[in-house]
Amino acid sequence: MIAVSRHLCWISGNIKHKYIERGLASVSSKRHKMFEEYKGISRKLSKHENPSPNLNGITESCYMNNGMRLVCERRDSFATTIGCFLPAGSMYEMPEERGSVLFLEHLLFRKTKCNNQEQIENLIEDIGAKVVAIGMRDIFLFYGTVFSYKIDKLVQLFADIILNGIICDKDVAQEKCVILHELSQMETDRERIVMDYLPSIAYQSTALGTSVYPESNTIKKFSTDNLIQFRNRLFQTCYMTMISTGSICLKELQRIVCKHFKCNVEDYKASFGIPSKMRSCTESLEYRFSAAELRLRDDDNEFGYVAIGLEGPSYKQREDHIALTVAKHIVGSWDRSYGGANHNAPFLAHNSFNTSLCYMYKSFFHNWGQTTSIWGCYFVCDKLELENMVDGLHKEWMKLCTVITEKEVSRAINQCVTKALIVKDNSANRFFDIVENVFRYGCYEPIEQRVRQYEKLTADKIREVSNKYIYDRDPVVVALGRIENLPDYPLIRNGLYLLRY
């Protein structure tokens, strides 16, 4: 991951104060110059910070004639977050290209035909931007946050990276050492290891089972030519979607993109449909969920680290997806740093505090690709408590399918609504929210509409969806550490149904 940031700061020198007879101080010319500079920035910010009231918060979209899609949300903000995503995750790597996504995270902003590394870093510092590149299994994205009046220079940088980016053997050789060091440090993060193995086991023998992190031997033998081949194949403007959230309007974004990407607008009408080339690229891949387990027993570890997951709905199955999101919050999460003591609302958290059932647990709901997801729970336990923890988790999940109450559903809905509304206050969070909607759903669903869907949920709907995706379903299990007391897979599977309600 590349993160370059520069904070705007005022540097004041030794200012000589001139006093007059009445004891009042006059400002020196240097301080006066600083104030004038501040006023200039304020005027530039104000120029982009006065959207029409009826357009504030409206999300618009259009296509360019080079196939690029633009999605723009205009809102009151001094800063604008803008970035691009492509279907170029690790699942799109050819066997000989393994590791390309991980290397691109480090090398994307390294060098172009027009600028070397130092010049790119100076440009990012000059505009005060924070630029990040992230590679995942199903998507690759890069974005930056900058003052709204400097958005033109950031888009110019993105255009230079996409159109003129180059990769040389020297840079790849340097990054091999960096990546190998990162992988060695990753071994101490048990949660990250378990959650990385989970989709690899759940979607084994399919493209989605390919992790972003390849084997160490693959990194050592990695070839620059394979990385260039991967980049040239997938990093094309026809696959790109550029998303902006800030005070820039769609028409202004179109003008800036046309200027730097040398293209014209093909259709000014709002359209969120997935381009045909991107659709054919994503739909040709298979997502097959496999009920399986992976156990890595290591008695040198102090605890057992376990994740149990079930196949969930796709992002496009909105009612089911929202219901399971609420179900995730009903089960909740907890660790020993949480407040509330004996008064935690989720029963599993209440029981964990009173009986030392676990050190932490965390419900999760991860979407992979555009047609599948994994819903489940990750927990850390002492080796002698693993069986009790699995039994407690079974009871909570069966409760969702049978006797969940309106009060518990209402509490979880309030948490979901609060979380959705908090996203609106941060431009980077808004960017990720729009990316997830546009990439996985095909269009952007406003937060207000999602809130209304949350509020319509009832306990009966939660029971219906839980019976569909949780009750009597085959799980995927990944366990690491001191796990000799973890129940066998048939026992974990049998706990997902009841002989009688």
Side-chain angles (χ1 to χ4, degrees), residues 102-148:
L102 190 57
F103 274 90
L104 270 180
E105 276 191 359
H106 294 75
L107 296 174
L108 185 66
F109 292 95
R110 181 62 57 86
K111 191 177 296 182
T112 69
K113 296 177 182 178
C114 306
N115 298 291
N116 57 29
Q117 181 180 357
E118 183 179 356
Q119 290 171 325
I120 293 176
E121 291 177 354
N122 289 336
L123 173 62
I124 294 174
E125 289 182 357
D126 288 341
I127 62 178
K130 179 181 180 182
V131 177
V132 181
I134 303 174
M136 294 177 279
R137 289 175 184 261
D138 55 346
I139 187 174
F140 190 98
L141 63 91
F142 54 93
Y143 69 96
T145 301
V146 70
F147 282 134
S148 297

Side-chain angles (χ1 to χ4, degrees), residues 56-59 73-75 318 322 416-417 420-425 430 433 437 444-456:
N56 192 31
I58 298 298
T59 304
E73 182 197 49
R74 189 173 183 180
R75 56 197 294 269
R318 295 305 293 160
I322 287 177
C416 292
V417 171
L421 294 177
I422 289 175
V423 168
K424 297 192 71 172
D425 295 333
R430 294 291 299 122
D433 181 60
N437 271 264
Y444 177 69
E445 185 179 40
I447 288 180
E448 294 77 8
Q449 183 176 335
R450 278 175 272 171
V451 169
R452 288 194 293 269
Q453 291 176 338
Y454 281 127
E455 293 173 345
K456 291 179 181 178

Side-chain angles (χ1 to χ4, degrees), residues 197-471:
Y197 271 119
L198 190 69
S200 296
I201 300 302
Y203 301 102
Q204 54 188 294
S205 302
T206 68
L208 197 51
T210 306
S211 172
V212 175
Y213 307 100
E215 296 80 5
S216 299
N217 190 48
T218 301
I219 295 175
K220 294 176 181 177
K221 297 180 179 179
F222 188 78
S223 171
T224 306
D225 293 336
N226 293 333
L227 179 57
I228 296 174
Q229 175 185 333
F230 176 82
R231 180 191 172 109
N232 293 340
R233 180 166 56 88
L234 293 174
F235 277 67
Q236 300 179 25
T237 54
C238 60
Y239 294 141
M240 285 178 56
T241 298
M242 180 173 288
I243 295 175
S244 170
T245 173
S247 61
I248 300 297
C249 65
L250 180 62
K251 194 168 282 188
E252 177 69 10
L253 182 62
Q254 289 171 345
R255 184 190 66 78
I256 296 173
V257 171
C258 290
K259 173 183 174 183
H260 298 297
F261 282 89
K262 297 179 176 60
C263 60
N264 297 312
V265 177
E266 178 181 298
D267 186 5
Y268 284 95
K269 296 181 180 180
S271 174
F272 286 96
I274 299 176
S276 57
K277 290 187 178 181
M278 184 185 295
R279 188 183 299 113
S280 62
C281 180
T282 56
E283 291 182 353
S284 62
L285 297 174
E286 180 185 12
Y287 312 118
R288 186 189 65 251
F289 185 89
S290 300
E293 71 169 357
L294 174 67
R295 299 187 183 219
L296 302 172
R297 179 172 173 178
D298 182 5
D299 290 343
D300 291 334
N301 280 304
E302 187 177 357
F303 308 114
Y305 307 86
V306 183
I308 302 177
L310 300 159
E311 184 179 17
S314 70
Y315 206 88
K316 294 183 179 181
Q317 297 170 283
R318 295 305 293 160
E319 290 187 2
D320 293 350
H321 193 277
I322 287 177
L324 277 186
T325 302
V326 173
K328 181 194 78 170
H329 283 84
I330 292 174
V331 179
S333 59
W334 179 85
D335 65 46
R336 293 194 170 185
S337 67
Y338 275 39
N342 199 33
H343 307 288
N344 288 285
F347 178 77
L348 199 57
H350 175 84
N351 197 26
S352 298
F353 175 81
N354 285 281
T355 63
S356 298
L357 182 63
C358 67
Y359 289 91
M360 66 85 67
Y361 79 90
K362 181 189 300 182
S363 297
F364 61 82
F365 190 13
H366 294 162
N367 292 273
W368 304 107
Q370 297 178 343
T371 60
T372 187
S373 62
I374 301 180
W375 185 94
C377 186
Y378 166 81
F379 55 89
V380 180
C381 289
D382 185 83
K383 65 175 183 177
L384 297 178
E385 295 291 343
L386 286 169
E387 187 174 3
N388 295 331
M389 181 62 191
V390 172
D391 182 59
L393 190 60
H394 281 153
K395 291 179 180 178
E396 283 295 290
W397 287 0
M398 292 301 98
K399 184 179 176 182
L400 292 172
C401 303
T402 55
V403 294
I404 192 67
T405 64
E406 291 289 352
K407 183 177 180 180
E408 291 172 296
V409 173
S410 178
R411 175 187 61 83
I413 288 175
N414 290 336
Q415 289 181 330
C416 292
V417 171
T418 301
K419 186 176 179 180
L421 294 177
I422 289 175
V423 168
K424 297 192 71 172
D425 295 333
N426 183 280
S427 61
N429 290 340
R430 294 291 299 122
F431 171 80
F432 282 108
D433 181 60
I434 297 174
V435 166
E436 186 172 32
N437 271 264
V438 173
F439 178 68
R440 304 195 191 284
Y441 190 35
C443 67
Y444 177 69
E445 185 179 40
I447 288 180
E448 294 77 8
Q449 183 176 335
R450 278 175 272 171
V451 169
R452 288 194 293 269
Q453 291 176 338
Y454 281 127
E455 293 173 345
K456 291 179 181 178
L457 279 178
T458 62
D460 290 336
K461 183 63 178 179
I462 297 295
R463 282 192 289 269
E464 176 190 338
V465 175
S466 297
N467 274 279
K468 183 177 179 181
Y469 293 99
I470 301 175
Y471 190 83

